[in-house]
Amino acid sequence: MTSVGSERNLTIRDVAQRAGVSISTVSRVINGKKVRDELQVNVQRVLDEMNFRPSAVARSMVRGRTQTVGVLVEDISSSYYAEMIKGIERILERTGHHPLFKSSHWNLQLEEEALQVFLDHNVDAIVVVGGLISESRLQDLAARMPLVLVGRGGVSVNAPTINLDQRGGAYGATRHLIELGHRQIVHISGPLTQEDAVARRVGYQDAMHDHGLEVRPDWLCEGDFLETSAFRATMHLIENGTPFTAIFAGNDQMALGANLALHRKGLRVPDDVSVVGFDDLPVSAYVVPPLTTIRQPAQQVGELAAHAAVALMSGEPAQLAPLELKLIVRESTRAVRR
Amino acid sequence: MTSVGSERNLTIRDVAQRAGVSISTVSRVINGKKVRDELQVNVQRVLDEMNFRPSAVARSMVRGRTQTVGVLVEDISSSYYAEMIKGIERILERTGHHPLFKSSHWNLQLEEEALQVFLDHNVDAIVVVGGLISESRLQDLAARMPLVLVGRGGVSVNAPTINLDQRGGAYGATRHLIELGHRQIVHISGPLTQEDAVARRVGYQDAMHDHGLEVRPDWLCEGDFLETSAFRATMHLIENGTPFTAIFAGNDQMALGANLALHRKGLRVPDDVSVVGFDDLPVSAYVVPPLTTIRQPAQQVGELAAHAAVALMSGEPAQLAPLELKLIVRESTRAVRR
DNA sequence: ATACAAACTGAAAACGTTTTTTGCAAGTGG
DNA sequence: CCACTTGCAAAAAACGTTTTCAGTTTGTAT
């Protein structure tokens, strides 16, 4: 066999000529349509010999489908999205579709542009993860093509939506701390411009309230989901003498930032202060101390989204199994010292 | 203005009809070619009114270029590759190219398939990061289209190659430990099937040798670049009573695994054992204690690779600035106790 | 005024496939 | 033995653009 794909500019025409048949026949052989046995084997042999591969572009042109799926996330390289992408990749690989990833970096304009690129390239479906795009725009989109939403309110949009109960997860995290006897619990939230950040904050507030605990205003800090913001917030908290025995961070990255600040200030985790995160990043099980957190099954979310997209593309309704957030108790939390 | 892109199946023909001109003229207006002023504004108005966007597929068909770049990495969701991808995204975004990412998961067959997909889709350039593909195959590829290699020997391949001095970095990491007075230094390597893993191991060995230090066979452990493998290796080391005062891990993830094992066994970092990693993942600055490591400028590598690809596509030679690995001293290393 | 160049525009070809239509040969029933 | 169906391959149309080529108008110089 000649080296794989060692030529290009090979067209179905060349194959037809060499096999002494028409291009239609070659096309039929390629696509497994009915052809006289004798011709079939002959053409197939030539196909193999020439190592011919049909142009995906030309196919897309005539078929009107591209076998690609646009996937829009905030940031490909952020751990959480990366995990989700892995799940999407895994499923689409099996169905012969190709994901086309774009990052929007929490920027509405970039988001709109990415969507436009998807449209221009005639993707067969779009998966939108989070984002700032308006619901009406999404509704437009959903009306024109298969669309799957992940981690968005999207109640008004007529498209399958995968949502994890962020509020509930945060509630559980907070309750865990309360059950360990903590009363003075700080929450460092993500940027309140993001749905998830506020949902988690609400979960914290609800849990506190339901257990009859007052929330001091200075226990509510706003970060940006990155380590540094939580590091700073925690340093300030300590320097201001704000009393607290536990921190519930809006995500694991911020939990790590808080963790480091505590370390800097000579406070031990979990002996002096308990810390809970959110996400369960792959790394969270290996930091010292291993982080108690709320597991978001990011890969499963990705898989589910991909499945939904595939279903939609073949005209079937999407099946959405509800996914659960789970408290993973590790070693960054313990009963409050008395 | 009507809602963005609210129709499809719109073709240049519809625009031509509505504007009362030929499709050639519409095409010319779209592409900024010379057209009588009066027509130009008229057609442009219709274009805007109809919110027309030309089909990228049809364009690719006739132009023979797709404005896409295939990027093959081992695992999109692994932190290191994710960073690199971010760099690639950033550069290509500016030039109007669209990256098409594929993961090969250290699997030769998947790698070959991904390459085939790139070829089928007629990408304008390919970036191969690491991987198991043979050099001769790469040579074939390089002869046919713009190809950029990252983190591969690739000496025999006629394509721009971006390589970081893995051996040198490892040498520096080891020397750092030696200079701190460590004599009994363990190295946990990545899988020795990977070039980078062996290069780093060689760097370790060379540094030890150059400083007149014998390497005990049981100081050489082989992991798989994931946390767990290093965790286990370190546990065994301690349980077997192997003497050591420092660990140089083949990457940060394994450093974290080792770190946790030490913690489990009641050994303090850096007081009892010093730990050095490799990569400088975003998280490494925030773990406790912050990790001393070798910084690989992953994003810059990605940017450089993207620049090279862009240059190649426009027929220019690629400019390759050499990138440096840098020792980042944080708090996981200190002078050996005597 | 006429010839010729310049400037544009429209018609048509091309890109590489798939799919529809046409055409031909063989088979079948009366 | 003829009319009619069947089966299968070749020819042609189609997908939505860009680009080439030819044709038309306008302008200019003689």
Side-chain angles (χ1 to χ4, degrees), chain B residues 124-126 142 145-149 158-160 305-319:
Chain B
D124 295 341
I126 295 183
M145 63 187 309
L147 174 69
V148 177
L149 265 29
N158 184 21
H307 272 131
V310 170
L312 253 42
M313 287 188 282
S314 40
E316 300 158 19
Q319 305 273 17

Side-chain angles (χ1 to χ4, degrees), chain B residues 230-271:
Chain B
F231 178 83
R232 289 214 197 90
T234 306
M235 294 296 272
H236 288 152
L237 244 24
I238 298 170
E239 284 159 5
N240 294 342
T242 306
F244 65 93
T245 65
I247 296 178
F248 166 43
N251 70 358
D252 283 2
Q253 289 184 68
M254 293 202 298
L256 260 37
N259 200 31
L260 181 58
L262 294 168
H263 176 72
R264 282 267 183 283
K265 291 296 188 182
L267 293 170
R268 310 281 311 272
V269 176
D271 306 279

Side-chain angles (χ1 to χ4, degrees), chain B residues 100-270:
Chain B
L100 195 56
F101 300 109
K102 287 277 170 191
S103 304
S104 64
H105 300 291
W106 297 272
N107 175 326
L108 181 56
Q109 196 194 332
L110 286 180
E111 229 172 300
E112 188 57 56
E113 284 172 14
L115 247 30
Q116 207 47 270
V117 170
F118 290 159
L119 257 21
D120 291 351
H121 280 75
N122 200 19
V123 298
D124 295 341
I126 295 183
V127 177
V128 173
V129 184
L132 286 48
I133 292 270
S134 74
E135 297 218 344
S136 69
R137 178 80 178 93
L138 289 176
Q139 181 59 61
D140 280 3
L141 220 52
R144 306 213 288 120
M145 63 187 309
L147 174 69
V148 177
L149 265 29
V150 177
R152 290 198 47 125
V155 199
S156 78
V157 181
N158 184 21
T161 300
I162 298 166
N163 260 314
L164 298 178
D165 180 13
Q166 306 292 330
R167 193 203 72 90
Y171 192 100
T174 311
R175 187 177 50 204
H176 168 64
L177 290 170
I178 295 172
E179 286 171 355
L180 289 174
H182 293 277
R183 296 288 173 268
Q184 302 176 318
I185 306 175
V186 166
H187 175 54
I188 307 177
S189 74
L192 297 175
T193 49
Q194 291 183 235
E195 280 185 37
D196 287 357
V198 331
R200 289 174 201 173
R201 195 169 98 143
V202 169
Y204 158 81
Q205 287 172 316
D206 288 356
M208 293 294 276
H209 179 265
D210 288 357
H211 292 81
L213 298 173
E214 198 81 33
V215 175
R216 282 177 56 138
D218 52 358
W219 287 347
L220 280 174
C221 309
E222 181 175 351
D224 63 2
F225 276 151
L226 298 179
E227 293 89 348
T228 320
S229 65
F231 178 83
R232 289 214 197 90
T234 306
M235 294 296 272
H236 288 152
L237 244 24
I238 298 170
E239 284 159 5
N240 294 342
T242 306
F244 65 93
T245 65
I247 296 178
F248 166 43
N251 70 358
D252 283 2
Q253 289 184 68
M254 293 202 298
L256 260 37
N259 200 31
L260 181 58
L262 294 168
H263 176 72
R264 282 267 183 283
K265 291 296 188 182
L267 293 170
R268 310 281 311 272
V269 176

Side-chain angles (χ1 to χ4, degrees), chain A residues 3 5 53 116 140 144 228, chain B residues 3 5 53 116 140 144 286:
Chain A
S3 103
R53 312 230 40 190
Q116 207 46 271
D140 280 3
R144 306 213 285 123
T228 319
Chain B
S3 105
R53 309 231 41 190
Q116 207 47 270
D140 280 3
R144 306 213 288 120
Y286 292 96

